[in-house]
Every structure is written in structure tokens, then in C-alpha cells.
Amino acid sequence: MAAIWVAFGTGKNFMYLDINAICHALGKDRSTALPMFHSFTGCDTTSAFFGKGKKSAWEAWNAYVEVTEAFNNFMNHPYMTVTVNCKQFQLLERFTVIIYNKTSNLDSVNEARRELFSQKNRPMEKIPPTQEALLQHTLRAVYQAGIWATMDQCEQKPPTPEGFGWTLESATKTWRPVWSNLPVASQACSELVKCGCKSATCGGRCSCKKAQWKCTELCSCQCE
């Protein structure tokens, strides 16, 4: 086996990393799973979970080693089909819950969102993505990991990104991430929106009117 070293850092932080020693310490399964782990938790072509860096993701991996099976499955089967009902996605869904709440016993990101938002008062930006958004994110991660998994091929022939969390803008001919296929919450659940106006006679100066929305039953001012 070839000895592989990587030069890393600059100045006083420059060092040589012994890749063989790192792989030996991690073990074969985690070593081969690293590309998919990196893609899923955020790289140059896939987004990271807001406020959750590699350290949080690594701690979640240590707490939920079962997700290694999913990572390796995607590496061994590049560009495989992913649905919300497949075992691999369900493992990733549970892993995502752990990233946001290590003590949670929930498997569903939607249930975790509800618990963290309604019972633990977490703000929207600090709860997991919806299951639909997570699926699109997973598709992008699978596509990127598929490119890395086939990098030893002299002529790679990856499938089109369409359907892997990307869509082609016809006007600009550029690829745009598909964040979710669900309707925007402020439009689909407008009855849950309320302004902070305390006066019943604000004269239409509330935040709802400024946003060109109609006040809901939850608003105190009830502007028309």
C-alpha cells in the first residue's frame, strides 16, 4: 500500500498529514464514508446546515454511527435513486435530527421541527429543514459524492443534475438549486401570521399592511 502524505496549512501552522495513519484510526468503513459525509454536511457544491459546521456534524456521527451504512451505500452505488421511504434517506433523516438535538429520540425531521419550535422555543433558523428540503439537499449531496466515487474513471459520464436537487433555468441556462417543492410557508399558512401591533386603531401602520398582507384573526389591530 502506498504511503500518502498531504501538505497542509501555512506558516507556523504548516504540517504534513499522514493519510494512512488517519485512515487506520478511523477504520475502513468511516474512511470510505468520508466523501459522502463531507458532501452531506456541506462542501463547495452543497449547502451546510445553518449554524452547524463540521464539528457539530462529526459529533452527531459519533453519536449515531448507524448512518455510516447510508454514507457507504451512496459511495458504493453512485447516483442511486433516493426517496423519502428508502432506508438510506431514513438514516440520514435521523442523523439530521441528531445534528440539531443529540438527546432526541425522534426519527422524523418534521416532528423534530415541531418539537424544537413549539416546545423548546427554538427560532426557525435553528431547527432542522423540512423533510422535502432535506430530500433535495440529499439529492445534491448524492450527486456530488457520485462524482467523487467515480473519479478513478478516465472519462466520467455523470447523469444530468436535473432531478438531483438542481434545475436548469431556461432563461439564463444556469443550474439553480431546488430548495424545496413545498409552497412558501407565509403564503400556505398565512392564517398563522400576525403583526406585533398592540393598538386596535393603528390606522394601517402595522407590519402586515406594510408587507401588503391582510391582518389575520391573530392580529390585535384587525386592519382591513
Side-chain angles (χ1 to χ4, degrees):
M1 180 174 62
I4 301 175
W5 292 77
V6 172
F8 180 80
T10 58
K12 294 181 179 180
N13 295 319
F14 180 82
M15 66 184 75
Y16 288 101
L17 300 177
D18 186 346
I19 302 303
N20 299 70
I22 293 174
C23 289
H24 179 75
L26 290 176
K28 180 180 178 180
D29 287 345
R30 295 193 99 181
S31 295
T32 54
L34 272 176
M36 181 60 196
F37 167 80
H38 179 44
S39 178
F40 185 75
T41 56
C43 66
D44 289 343
T45 55
T46 62
S47 55
F49 298 107
F50 183 81
K52 302 296 180 181
K54 294 298 182 184
K55 182 178 179 180
S56 297
W58 188 264
E59 290 173 351
W61 195 2
N62 288 333
Y64 186 60
V65 295
E66 291 87 344
V67 74
T68 308
E69 177 186 342
F71 291 150
N72 274 320
N73 211 300
F74 289 123
M75 293 303 297
N76 293 329
H77 302 88
Y79 312 112
M80 67 178 290
T81 301
V82 186
T83 67
V84 295
N85 296 317
C86 72
K87 181 181 180 182
Q88 289 74 28
F89 180 78
Q90 291 171 351
L91 289 169
L92 292 179
E93 188 171 3
R94 168 64 179 160
F95 175 63
T96 305
V97 172
I98 297 297
I99 289 177
Y100 283 86
N101 185 6
K102 294 184 179 63
T103 62
S104 176
N105 59 0
L106 297 174
D107 296 322
S108 165
V109 288
N110 288 343
E111 292 179 6
R113 283 169 60 84
R114 181 177 59 183
E115 179 183 76
L116 292 173
F117 182 74
S118 62
Q119 298 180 22
K120 298 192 177 183
N121 299 316
R122 290 271 192 95
M124 289 294 293
E125 63 270 16
K126 292 187 177 181
I127 63 176
T130 64
Q131 186 185 68
E132 163 61 19
L134 183 63
L135 175 62
Q136 298 300 325
H137 173 79
T138 300
L139 290 169
R140 287 188 291 276
V142 166
Y143 189 82
Q144 178 59 70
I147 292 175
W148 289 334
T150 57
M151 62 186 299
D152 58 337
Q153 298 178 5
C154 59
E155 292 186 15
Q156 287 179 297
K157 295 181 179 180
T160 172
E162 191 76 44
F164 280 94
W166 297 93
T167 188
L168 185 64
E169 289 280 9
S170 57
T172 61
K173 301 299 181 182
T174 57
W175 290 99
R176 177 180 61 83
V178 178
W179 299 116
S180 176
N181 287 317
L182 295 177
V184 178
S186 61
Q187 299 172 2
C189 304
S190 58
E191 68 275 9
L192 299 179
V193 175
K194 69 174 182 177
C195 59
C197 186
K198 302 297 183 181
S199 173
T201 57
C202 73
R205 296 189 298 272
C206 64
S207 57
C208 287
K209 296 298 288 185
K210 290 179 180 178
Q212 299 182 342
W213 292 342
K214 182 179 179 180
C215 281
T216 69
E217 294 294 328
L218 298 177
C219 298
S220 299
C221 56
Q222 291 294 298
C223 295
E224 293 295 333

PDB file of all heavy atoms in Angstrom, residues 197-220:
ATOM      1  N   CYS A 197     -48.631  44.596  16.374  1.00  0.00           N
ATOM      2  CA  CYS A 197     -49.354  45.818  16.724  1.00  0.00           C
ATOM      3  C   CYS A 197     -50.223  45.596  17.959  1.00  0.00           C
ATOM      4  O   CYS A 197     -50.952  44.613  18.047  1.00  0.00           O
ATOM      5  CB  CYS A 197     -50.217  46.253  15.544  1.00  0.00           C
ATOM      6  SG  CYS A 197     -51.026  47.836  15.783  1.00  0.00           S
ATOM      7  N   LYS A 198     -50.142  46.512  18.912  1.00  0.00           N
ATOM      8  CA  LYS A 198     -50.907  46.398  20.154  1.00  0.00           C
ATOM      9  C   LYS A 198     -52.162  47.261  20.142  1.00  0.00           C
ATOM     10  O   LYS A 198     -53.022  47.136  21.004  1.00  0.00           O
ATOM     11  CB  LYS A 198     -50.040  46.808  21.351  1.00  0.00           C
ATOM     12  CG  LYS A 198     -48.754  46.002  21.506  1.00  0.00           C
ATOM     13  CD  LYS A 198     -49.042  44.534  21.756  1.00  0.00           C
ATOM     14  CE  LYS A 198     -47.743  43.749  21.978  1.00  0.00           C
ATOM     15  NZ  LYS A 198     -47.985  42.307  22.191  1.00  0.00           N
ATOM     16  N   SER A 199     -52.254  48.146  19.176  1.00  0.00           N
ATOM     17  CA  SER A 199     -53.373  49.083  19.140  1.00  0.00           C
ATOM     18  C   SER A 199     -54.462  48.603  18.191  1.00  0.00           C
ATOM     19  O   SER A 199     -54.179  48.098  17.100  1.00  0.00           O
ATOM     20  CB  SER A 199     -52.880  50.466  18.692  1.00  0.00           C
ATOM     21  OG  SER A 199     -53.967  51.339  18.493  1.00  0.00           O
ATOM     22  N   ALA A 200     -55.708  48.760  18.612  1.00  0.00           N
ATOM     23  CA  ALA A 200     -56.834  48.377  17.762  1.00  0.00           C
ATOM     24  C   ALA A 200     -57.098  49.425  16.696  1.00  0.00           C
ATOM     25  O   ALA A 200     -57.871  49.203  15.765  1.00  0.00           O
ATOM     26  CB  ALA A 200     -58.082  48.174  18.617  1.00  0.00           C
ATOM     27  N   THR A 201     -56.459  50.564  16.825  1.00  0.00           N
ATOM     28  CA  THR A 201     -56.666  51.662  15.865  1.00  0.00           C
ATOM     29  C   THR A 201     -55.330  52.195  15.368  1.00  0.00           C
ATOM     30  O   THR A 201     -55.009  53.366  15.524  1.00  0.00           O
ATOM     31  CB  THR A 201     -57.466  52.815  16.526  1.00  0.00           C
ATOM     32  OG1 THR A 201     -56.746  53.246  17.698  1.00  0.00           O
ATOM     33  CG2 THR A 201     -58.856  52.354  16.931  1.00  0.00           C
ATOM     34  N   CYS A 202     -54.524  51.305  14.811  1.00  0.00           N
ATOM     35  CA  CYS A 202     -53.184  51.712  14.363  1.00  0.00           C
ATOM     36  C   CYS A 202     -53.240  52.483  13.054  1.00  0.00           C
ATOM     37  O   CYS A 202     -52.235  53.041  12.617  1.00  0.00           O
ATOM     38  CB  CYS A 202     -52.266  50.505  14.225  1.00  0.00           C
ATOM     39  SG  CYS A 202     -52.653  49.463  12.795  1.00  0.00           S
ATOM     40  N   GLY A 203     -54.379  52.471  12.399  1.00  0.00           N
ATOM     41  CA  GLY A 203     -54.511  53.231  11.161  1.00  0.00           C
ATOM     42  C   GLY A 203     -53.789  52.621   9.981  1.00  0.00           C
ATOM     43  O   GLY A 203     -53.412  53.336   9.051  1.00  0.00           O
ATOM     44  N   GLY A 204     -53.618  51.319  10.018  1.00  0.00           N
ATOM     45  CA  GLY A 204     -52.986  50.652   8.886  1.00  0.00           C
ATOM     46  C   GLY A 204     -51.488  50.790   8.835  1.00  0.00           C
ATOM     47  O   GLY A 204     -50.875  50.677   7.768  1.00  0.00           O
ATOM     48  N   ARG A 205     -50.861  51.050   9.976  1.00  0.00           N
ATOM     49  CA  ARG A 205     -49.407  51.213  10.016  1.00  0.00           C
ATOM     50  C   ARG A 205     -48.696  49.946  10.510  1.00  0.00           C
ATOM     51  O   ARG A 205     -47.520  49.984  10.808  1.00  0.00           O
ATOM     52  CB  ARG A 205     -49.039  52.394  10.912  1.00  0.00           C
ATOM     53  CG  ARG A 205     -49.527  53.746  10.414  1.00  0.00           C
ATOM     54  CD  ARG A 205     -48.951  54.892  11.235  1.00  0.00           C
ATOM     55  NE  ARG A 205     -49.375  54.796  12.632  1.00  0.00           N
ATOM     56  CZ  ARG A 205     -50.502  55.318  13.103  1.00  0.00           C
ATOM     57  NH1 ARG A 205     -51.348  55.927  12.273  1.00  0.00           N
ATOM     58  NH2 ARG A 205     -50.813  55.216  14.380  1.00  0.00           N
ATOM     59  N   CYS A 206     -49.407  48.831  10.638  1.00  0.00           N
ATOM     60  CA  CYS A 206     -48.815  47.597  11.166  1.00  0.00           C
ATOM     61  C   CYS A 206     -47.939  46.915  10.106  1.00  0.00           C
ATOM     62  O   CYS A 206     -47.977  47.268   8.924  1.00  0.00           O
ATOM     63  CB  CYS A 206     -49.897  46.636  11.644  1.00  0.00           C
ATOM     64  SG  CYS A 206     -50.978  46.047  10.329  1.00  0.00           S
ATOM     65  N   SER A 207     -47.175  45.918  10.531  1.00  0.00           N
ATOM     66  CA  SER A 207     -46.245  45.233   9.623  1.00  0.00           C
ATOM     67  C   SER A 207     -46.982  44.432   8.552  1.00  0.00           C
ATOM     68  O   SER A 207     -46.458  44.224   7.459  1.00  0.00           O
ATOM     69  CB  SER A 207     -45.314  44.311  10.422  1.00  0.00           C
ATOM     70  OG  SER A 207     -46.053  43.373  11.184  1.00  0.00           O
ATOM     71  N   CYS A 208     -48.185  43.966   8.864  1.00  0.00           N
ATOM     72  CA  CYS A 208     -48.963  43.229   7.857  1.00  0.00           C
ATOM     73  C   CYS A 208     -49.262  44.128   6.661  1.00  0.00           C
ATOM     74  O   CYS A 208     -49.072  43.724   5.503  1.00  0.00           O
ATOM     75  CB  CYS A 208     -50.271  42.711   8.452  1.00  0.00           C
ATOM     76  SG  CYS A 208     -50.076  41.323   9.598  1.00  0.00           S
ATOM     77  N   LYS A 209     -49.740  45.326   6.940  1.00  0.00           N
ATOM     78  CA  LYS A 209     -50.096  46.240   5.860  1.00  0.00           C
ATOM     79  C   LYS A 209     -48.855  46.661   5.077  1.00  0.00           C
ATOM     80  O   LYS A 209     -48.897  46.798   3.853  1.00  0.00           O
ATOM     81  CB  LYS A 209     -50.813  47.470   6.428  1.00  0.00           C
ATOM     82  CG  LYS A 209     -52.141  47.161   7.094  1.00  0.00           C
ATOM     83  CD  LYS A 209     -53.133  46.566   6.102  1.00  0.00           C
ATOM     84  CE  LYS A 209     -53.631  47.609   5.115  1.00  0.00           C
ATOM     85  NZ  LYS A 209     -54.687  47.062   4.233  1.00  0.00           N
ATOM     86  N   LYS A 210     -47.739  46.856   5.781  1.00  0.00           N
ATOM     87  CA  LYS A 210     -46.507  47.243   5.107  1.00  0.00           C
ATOM     88  C   LYS A 210     -46.026  46.140   4.168  1.00  0.00           C
ATOM     89  O   LYS A 210     -45.394  46.405   3.147  1.00  0.00           O
ATOM     90  CB  LYS A 210     -45.430  47.573   6.128  1.00  0.00           C
ATOM     91  CG  LYS A 210     -45.698  48.861   6.903  1.00  0.00           C
ATOM     92  CD  LYS A 210     -44.609  49.119   7.919  1.00  0.00           C
ATOM     93  CE  LYS A 210     -44.894  50.412   8.698  1.00  0.00           C
ATOM     94  NZ  LYS A 210     -43.863  50.665   9.733  1.00  0.00           N
ATOM     95  N   ALA A 211     -46.327  44.888   4.537  1.00  0.00           N
ATOM     96  CA  ALA A 211     -45.959  43.752   3.693  1.00  0.00           C
ATOM     97  C   ALA A 211     -47.050  43.435   2.674  1.00  0.00           C
ATOM     98  O   ALA A 211     -46.957  42.441   1.953  1.00  0.00           O
ATOM     99  CB  ALA A 211     -45.675  42.522   4.554  1.00  0.00           C
ATOM    100  N   GLN A 212     -48.075  44.273   2.635  1.00  0.00           N
ATOM    101  CA  GLN A 212     -49.202  44.109   1.724  1.00  0.00           C
ATOM    102  C   GLN A 212     -49.975  42.824   1.985  1.00  0.00           C
ATOM    103  O   GLN A 212     -50.445  42.160   1.063  1.00  0.00           O
ATOM    104  CB  GLN A 212     -48.730  44.179   0.259  1.00  0.00           C
ATOM    105  CG  GLN A 212     -48.096  45.509  -0.104  1.00  0.00           C
ATOM    106  CD  GLN A 212     -47.678  45.592  -1.566  1.00  0.00           C
ATOM    107  OE1 GLN A 212     -47.545  44.578  -2.242  1.00  0.00           O
ATOM    108  NE2 GLN A 212     -47.467  46.803  -2.044  1.00  0.00           N
ATOM    109  N   TRP A 213     -50.082  42.445   3.283  1.00  0.00           N
ATOM    110  CA  TRP A 213     -50.891  41.323   3.712  1.00  0.00           C
ATOM    111  C   TRP A 213     -52.136  41.842   4.417  1.00  0.00           C
ATOM    112  O   TRP A 213     -52.157  42.965   4.927  1.00  0.00           O
ATOM    113  CB  TRP A 213     -50.127  40.426   4.705  1.00  0.00           C
ATOM    114  CG  TRP A 213     -48.974  39.698   4.093  1.00  0.00           C
ATOM    115  CD1 TRP A 213     -48.739  39.471   2.770  1.00  0.00           C
ATOM    116  CD2 TRP A 213     -47.891  39.092   4.800  1.00  0.00           C
ATOM    117  NE1 TRP A 213     -47.576  38.769   2.596  1.00  0.00           N
ATOM    118  CE2 TRP A 213     -47.037  38.519   3.831  1.00  0.00           C
ATOM    119  CE3 TRP A 213     -47.566  38.972   6.137  1.00  0.00           C
ATOM    120  CZ2 TRP A 213     -45.884  37.838   4.168  1.00  0.00           C
ATOM    121  CZ3 TRP A 213     -46.416  38.297   6.476  1.00  0.00           C
ATOM    122  CH2 TRP A 213     -45.576  37.736   5.511  1.00  0.00           C
ATOM    123  N   LYS A 214     -53.126  41.003   4.473  1.00  0.00           N
ATOM    124  CA  LYS A 214     -54.321  41.321   5.238  1.00  0.00           C
ATOM    125  C   LYS A 214     -54.156  40.778   6.646  1.00  0.00           C
ATOM    126  O   LYS A 214     -53.702  39.645   6.837  1.00  0.00           O
ATOM    127  CB  LYS A 214     -55.555  40.712   4.578  1.00  0.00           C
ATOM    128  CG  LYS A 214     -56.857  41.045   5.285  1.00  0.00           C
ATOM    129  CD  LYS A 214     -58.039  40.422   4.559  1.00  0.00           C
ATOM    130  CE  LYS A 214     -59.341  40.741   5.291  1.00  0.00           C
ATOM    131  NZ  LYS A 214     -60.507  40.144   4.589  1.00  0.00           N
ATOM    132  N   CYS A 215     -54.507  41.583   7.659  1.00  0.00           N
ATOM    133  CA  CYS A 215     -54.396  41.120   9.042  1.00  0.00           C
ATOM    134  C   CYS A 215     -55.251  39.869   9.256  1.00  0.00           C
ATOM    135  O   CYS A 215     -56.335  39.724   8.690  1.00  0.00           O
ATOM    136  CB  CYS A 215     -54.842  42.216  10.014  1.00  0.00           C
ATOM    137  SG  CYS A 215     -53.582  43.486  10.289  1.00  0.00           S
ATOM    138  N   THR A 216     -54.740  38.949  10.082  1.00  0.00           N
ATOM    139  CA  THR A 216     -55.454  37.711  10.367  1.00  0.00           C
ATOM    140  C   THR A 216     -56.174  37.805  11.699  1.00  0.00           C
ATOM    141  O   THR A 216     -56.105  38.828  12.390  1.00  0.00           O
ATOM    142  CB  THR A 216     -54.466  36.519  10.402  1.00  0.00           C
ATOM    143  OG1 THR A 216     -53.626  36.656  11.569  1.00  0.00           O
ATOM    144  CG2 THR A 216     -53.585  36.497   9.169  1.00  0.00           C
ATOM    145  N   GLU A 217     -56.836  36.738  12.082  1.00  0.00           N
ATOM    146  CA  GLU A 217     -57.569  36.698  13.356  1.00  0.00           C
ATOM    147  C   GLU A 217     -56.640  36.817  14.553  1.00  0.00           C
ATOM    148  O   GLU A 217     -57.067  37.149  15.663  1.00  0.00           O
ATOM    149  CB  GLU A 217     -58.374  35.389  13.462  1.00  0.00           C
ATOM    150  CG  GLU A 217     -59.493  35.261  12.437  1.00  0.00           C
ATOM    151  CD  GLU A 217     -60.592  36.288  12.663  1.00  0.00           C
ATOM    152  OE1 GLU A 217     -60.821  36.653  13.829  1.00  0.00           O
ATOM    153  OE2 GLU A 217     -61.210  36.726  11.674  1.00  0.00           O
ATOM    154  N   LEU A 218     -55.337  36.554  14.345  1.00  0.00           N
ATOM    155  CA  LEU A 218     -54.387  36.627  15.443  1.00  0.00           C
ATOM    156  C   LEU A 218     -53.896  38.051  15.706  1.00  0.00           C
ATOM    157  O   LEU A 218     -53.318  38.327  16.745  1.00  0.00           O
ATOM    158  CB  LEU A 218     -53.171  35.721  15.140  1.00  0.00           C
ATOM    159  CG  LEU A 218     -53.463  34.218  14.998  1.00  0.00           C
ATOM    160  CD1 LEU A 218     -52.173  33.486  14.635  1.00  0.00           C
ATOM    161  CD2 LEU A 218     -54.061  33.656  16.270  1.00  0.00           C
ATOM    162  N   CYS A 219     -54.133  38.957  14.752  1.00  0.00           N
ATOM    163  CA  CYS A 219     -53.677  40.331  14.899  1.00  0.00           C
ATOM    164  C   CYS A 219     -54.631  41.107  15.829  1.00  0.00           C
ATOM    165  O   CYS A 219     -55.843  40.931  15.780  1.00  0.00           O
ATOM    166  CB  CYS A 219     -53.617  41.027  13.553  1.00  0.00           C
ATOM    167  SG  CYS A 219     -52.461  40.261  12.389  1.00  0.00           S
ATOM    168  N   SER A 220     -54.057  41.981  16.639  1.00  0.00           N
ATOM    169  CA  SER A 220     -54.866  42.773  17.558  1.00  0.00           C
ATOM    170  C   SER A 220     -55.571  43.934  16.849  1.00  0.00           C
ATOM    171  O   SER A 220     -56.676  44.314  17.209  1.00  0.00           O
ATOM    172  CB  SER A 220     -53.989  43.335  18.680  1.00  0.00           C
ATOM    173  OG  SER A 220     -53.396  42.285  19.423  1.00  0.00           O
TER     174      SER A 220
END
